[in-house]
Amino acid sequence: MATEPTPIRAAPAAPDDHARNPGLALDMDWIRGVQANTSAIERRAATLPGRRSVKKAWQAAWLLRAITLIDLTTLAGDDTPGRVRRLCAKARQPVRPDLLEAMGMGPITTGAVCVYHEMVETAVRALEGSGIPVAAVSTGFPAGLSPFRLRVAEIEESVKAGAAEIDIVISRRHVLTGDWSALYDEMRTFRAACGPAHVKAILATGELGTLRNVARASFVCMMAGADFIKTSTGKEGVNATLPVSLTMIRAIRAYEAATGVRVGYKPAGGISKAKDALTYMALMKDELGDPWLRPDLFRFGASSLLGDIERQLEHHVTGRYSAGYRHGMA
Amino acid sequence: MGVAEIFESMEYGPAPEDAGPAMAWLEGHGRAFGHWIGGAFTAAGETFDSRNPATGEVLAAVTQATQGDVDAAIAAARKAQPGWEKAGGAARARVLYALARLVQKQSRLFAVLETLDNGKPIRESRDIDVPLVARHFYYHAGMAQLMADELPDRRALGVCGQIVPWNFPLLMLAWKVAPALAMGNTVVLKPAEYTSLTALLFAELSREAGVPPGVLNVVTGDGAVGERIVAAEVDKIAFTGSTAVGRRIREATAGSGKALTLELGGKSPYVVFDDADLDSAVEGLVDAIWFNQGQVCCAGSRLLVQESVAEDFLARVRRRMDGLRLGDPLDKCIDVGAIVDPVQLDTIRGLVDGAPGEVYRADVAVPDAGCFYPPTLITGLSPADRLMQEEIFGPVLVSTTFRTPAEAVALANDTRYGLAATVWTENVNLALDVAPKLAAGVVWVNGTNLFDAAAGFGGVRESGFGREGGWEGLTAYTRSAADAPKLKAPQAASAPKAATVEGIDRTAKLYVGGKQARPDGGYSRAVWSGKGALLGHAGLANRKDVRNAVEAAEKAAAWGRTTGHLRAQILYYLAENLSARGPEVADRIAALTGAKGKEAEAEVAASVDRLFTWAAWADKHDGRAKGVPIRGVALAMNESVGVIGVFCPHEAPLLGLVATVAPAIAMGNRVVAVASEPFPLAATDLYQVLDTSDVPGGVVNILTGDHAELAPHLAGHLAVDAVWSFSGADISATVERESAGNLKRTWVNHGRGRDWTRTDADAFLAAATEVKTVWIPYGEG
């Protein structure tokens, strides 16, 4: 069969596919009324992997979709232009063409490439024509404790350099001290600095202490206009977990119910197995619905997940368990 | 469907569990089964079909047990019992441990077979039922090991007939078999006719765990087989099933001396307060009423939601319902499976069709073939509606709203049942205030359908009696090692030919609501001493006096909420005041019974001492915090039973009254006591002692009269929660039979006596309390 020459994506990549979240005035009554029962959330999360299962062609298709949701990421001190170009090449062609062909699939790409500011230009150039957006982590990532003025300037620099998405980190201290208006103002400022670029608010949930705080911070960031809420930098002791995810996506659902606005979700850190990805996707499908299985509303922040998915896909095609070196590295 | 298409649609696909090994096991038995008796299968006899409710496919032919089959099973169990008990707890522990391991080793085979036979989703049989089965055997292996040290005064009952339902076939087997075997009993178990297969598999595999022949026997068949087991020479019947059948079993076993535990139906409230984590409460409902298609005795089937959040909450429920996946139970991606049988499906339809209120059916695809019923929510009902009161036993949730915590409790308790209850609130004050007020054997706070072998499970009211699991569950499978003495039943002195009448007339009335009341019928009986002296008159109470006394006891409900400390003080005060009148009371006893002066004095002294003992216990019958495998605690709280009717022994007219009434009121119950029939005046002399000891009116009510005449009325009263009989009259059968009306707890002597000089605290504490298990999961962060 003829394959399309240009890569297809699960959804158009342009930043303005759906109405962006304009935000709301800070609603403190809402924030104070937020409840999150940890043990109940943990129990629900614990049963999730046992409740949903996709097999055979469905599993292959879901894993291919998972690839289109990945923010292929490198956030290391030793990143170089060469390393980033290699990552971008993998983002353009994440799965071996013979495997795609065997599954009757055209080419696919990852959801985005995610780098530090210094690598944005390199990545933008490397991805030219691919439609793959570049995301930049920003605002003094990962701790977010550099001077506020510089954090805002960092966003502006990255946008100027061509980043279509900015992953900001919130000031955890505002959550831990209950200074919700400070958090709101900070997020508002970051959002404004992003201009046309979509903004993902990294809550660093592993440092917020409680799921109640996770829920409250989610609402405040959404009220302040976050396009996405994201769990972690990947640098905290605990990163994305199912209980944290359930808490955040329930907040997204409540926000949509109240405003009609859809906010995206990005779990990051710790999702490295194909099976984990499928569990997350089932969670999104069941709790939020199919729109959250597309890259405009859902991303995985992951670096090693792709490798496991590639091996599973080869197993699907050949019936044999695969080896890592049979797939091109990032 | 191709990968590219699914990539766009992102649908779930089929994810079937392989039925092959289970089918191979059935094939290996020619798809026809006899009974498991004496360690081997009998040949199949007259059979009926066991079907897969999801497809209608016949899985196997199962034998309808004849009277001969039941007799053979009982005989095998009887023969095996002494050896099994003598083998000792340590030996039994090894067998139970091996059973636990076997269940784990064959876990998938059990899960698949259960799902094929019952229709429940494979997720539930695999992740919930089978692990709980293994847990139950592990736990009770430990109980067998500890029995000699921890329960030195208890021994096995003997042969237990056990009848289990179709909703959790293997799990209910475990709940019944594990404690029975642990305590040295042998078993004849009958699975429900819809779902016999996992019991047969378990029986066959039990050989590999070293269960000696005859220790576990399984006979199959319908309710007629159950009736045969109930009627057979067994020492105990344990039944889980419908309230209607439980009532019949209560009536059928009345007076037989067979121990009985009943775990029956429910209409369990699910209470959502306005400060709850609503999304978690919605998810809890999925576990409450859409678990096992709602075919769960403790299903949270009656939603009570605070008015201020009702609209929001119900909208979330409906949305969640639409996300449930209904279909092939063997599919690993299915939430709601098949109803167990077309008969049950018709029952559900019959109850829901034409129901008032607003009926919302989940927007899900329902398979054309097989027994499926969509998750359903009925809103806008009031307690007066039939569906708010009757158990549906299907995936149908009914709901109404409340305004205040007090109203929530009132609505929750407005039911004949009392199995389980669920409370959702983030307010610890509210949760811990409401949980004890709910009429239920199990209360879950911010969770639902949590089970564990260490935590007692069982109900109050018409949900039955007895507990399964925990230390409290073992009383149901053991008896006192001490043999009961012969019953002494002295008779009243008959009227003399020549009467001696001296002094000022003292008229003893009845004691109702803290006041003396003339007997309604206007009759009294002259009470004579053995020497022909008129000691006084005792009123002859009738059914209306029973009614009045129970009403007074009901009104004194506040007694159950007093502290143990307060009750202790009152009991000490009673002792003090009785002691002050000791010589007078002793004279009375001597005159009534003909006892020697020293004996009568000893009875008074023993009575004073017994009051001290129960005063001591009043603030010491502590509950337990159970080590359940969750982050949280399961509290076993000892609560009062409620209103207890007591037929006091004929003998020991004062001590018999004190020894039975004192433990009851010490634990917070209110009592309607019927005094010693031949010697009633020892009780009537207590009226003034009660009056002067700050016992609130209605806490102790005393009637005098004919036990046999009063027994059906007191035992049959629907507001009485328990009846005890130590009477010299032959009323045990009457009490047990009449108790079936509201399935109140009974404790009767079956014509055996009791040594009243012994306190027997364990027995009285157990009878005077209900164990309520309150599950409190916790965690923040």
Side-chain angles (χ1 to χ4, degrees), chain A residues 35-39 42-44 50-52 58 61-62 64-65 209 212 250 253 281 285-287, chain B residues 7 10-13 123 126 275 277 279-280 283 287 332-333 335 426 446-447 631 777 779-781:
Chain A
Q35 301 289 9
N37 186 286
T38 298
S39 69
E42 286 173 347
R43 280 197 304 282
R44 162 72 172 149
R51 282 184 188 271
R52 292 292 178 259
W58 283 266
W62 278 53
L64 288 163
R65 176 62 74 86
R212 216 174 290 267
R250 282 177 174 176
R253 186 170 64 201
M281 291 165 75
K285 182 176 171 73
D286 285 8
E287 294 283 336
Chain B
F7 177 83
M10 287 303 288
E11 286 170 12
Y12 289 116
R123 177 191 80 86
R126 180 196 65 203
D275 66 343
D277 173 356
D279 284 322
S280 288
E283 206 54 48
D287 293 333
K332 288 178 274 193
C333 201
D335 298 307
E426 290 299 302
N446 293 331
R631 180 163 63 162
E780 183 79 39

Side-chain angles (χ1 to χ4, degrees), chain A residues 6-7 22 27 47 99 137 173 200 225 229 237 250 284 299 307 327:
Chain A
T6 50
D27 183 342
T47 66
L99 295 178
V137 297
R173 63 186 185 283
K200 308 194 193 97
I229 51 177
R250 282 177 174 176
M284 302 310 291
R299 298 285 178 80
H327 307 276

Side-chain angles (χ1 to χ4, degrees), chain B residues 398-424:
Chain B
V398 298
S399 84
T400 191
T401 60
F402 64 87
R403 297 166 296 173
T404 63
E407 189 172 63
V409 170
L411 283 166
N413 291 346
D414 184 25
T415 171
R416 284 170 291 141
Y417 295 111
L419 190 49
T422 302
V423 179
W424 286 85

Side-chain angles (χ1 to χ4, degrees), chain B residues 13 17 94 158 229 255 293 335 348 403 416 462 478 486 511-512 517 549-550 605 625 646 663 717 765:
Chain B
E17 175 69 40
R94 286 165 186 234
I229 294 173
Q293 297 71 249
D335 298 307
I348 297 167
R403 297 166 296 173
R416 284 170 291 141
E462 292 184 30
T478 55
K486 204 164 166 296
Y511 190 68
V512 174
V550 171
V646 181
H717 198 304
L765 287 169

Side-chain angles (χ1 to χ4, degrees), chain B residues 286-548:
Chain B
V286 174
D287 293 333
I289 186 65
W290 295 304
F291 171 53
N292 200 15
Q293 297 71 249
Q295 303 167 132
V296 182
C297 50
C298 55
S301 54
R302 202 158 45 100
L303 171 65
L304 308 174
V305 55
Q306 196 150 9
E307 257 182 53
S308 51
V309 294
E311 197 184 333
D312 180 7
F313 186 74
L314 292 170
R316 295 183 202 222
V317 173
R318 291 188 193 98
R319 175 173 174 155
R320 182 68 185 91
M321 286 167 70
D322 292 345
L324 292 169
R325 290 174 49 77
L326 182 73
D328 177 10
L330 267 185
D331 192 300
K332 288 178 274 193
C333 201
I334 283 296
D335 298 307
V336 181
I339 302 297
V340 71
D341 189 86
V343 172
Q344 183 62 17
L345 185 62
D346 285 345
T347 304
I348 297 167
R349 285 188 180 134
L351 281 163
V352 175
D353 290 349
E358 191 187 326
V359 179
Y360 182 79
R361 291 190 173 81
D363 183 16
V364 297
V366 179
D368 298 332
C371 291
F372 292 93
Y373 195 88
T376 300
L377 166 69
I378 308 180
T379 51
L381 292 177
S382 61
D385 289 312
R386 181 180 172 214
L387 284 182
M388 287 295 282
Q389 298 290 344
E390 279 192 33
E391 188 174 34
I392 298 173
F393 226 64
V396 182
L397 177 68
V398 298
S399 84
T400 191
T401 60
F402 64 87
R403 297 166 296 173
T404 63
E407 189 172 63
V409 170
L411 283 166
N413 291 346
D414 184 25
T415 171
R416 284 170 291 141
Y417 295 111
L419 190 49
T422 302
V423 179
W424 286 85
T425 170
E426 290 299 302
N427 178 347
V428 68
N429 300 302
L430 183 59
L432 296 183
D433 181 43
V434 165
K437 290 178 178 166
L438 296 171
V442 184
V443 177
W444 294 293
V445 174
N446 293 331
T448 204
N449 278 344
L450 303 168
F451 307 104
D452 185 60
F457 182 89
V460 298
R461 296 187 178 170
E462 292 184 30
S463 292
F465 44 76
R467 293 291 178 269
E468 299 188 289
W471 292 98
E472 57 269 38
L474 301 181
T475 38
Y477 285 98
T478 55
R479 63 179 176 84
S480 169
D483 287 323
K486 204 164 166 296
L487 178 65
K488 292 181 223 137
Q491 297 302 306
S494 42
K497 292 203 176 97
T500 310
V501 180
E502 289 172 343
I504 299 174
D505 177 69
R506 276 175 71 186
T507 304
K509 300 177 189 168
L510 310 176
Y511 190 68
V512 174
K515 295 193 181 72
Q516 296 207 34
R518 280 207 184 79
D520 170 84
Y523 290 99
S524 296
R525 174 172 80 75
V527 181
W528 304 92
S529 78
K531 293 174 183 157
L534 181 69
L535 300 175
H537 288 83
L540 288 173
N542 66 11
R543 62 190 174 88
K544 290 193 177 163
D545 298 308
V546 167
R547 178 198 66 190
N548 296 344

Side-chain angles (χ1 to χ4, degrees), chain A residues 55-56 59 63 96 99 273-275 307-327:
Chain A
K55 296 290 173 197
K56 299 191 161 60
Q59 187 178 89
L63 290 176
R96 260 172 35 207
L99 295 178
K273 297 290 175 198
K275 191 173 188 327
D308 194 52
I309 292 178
E310 288 176 270
R311 288 192 293 277
Q312 300 306 322
L313 289 173
E314 183 166 35
H315 175 245
H316 172 74
V317 169
T318 66
R320 296 173 194 279
Y321 292 110
S322 181
Y325 59 75
R326 298 173 59 82
H327 307 276

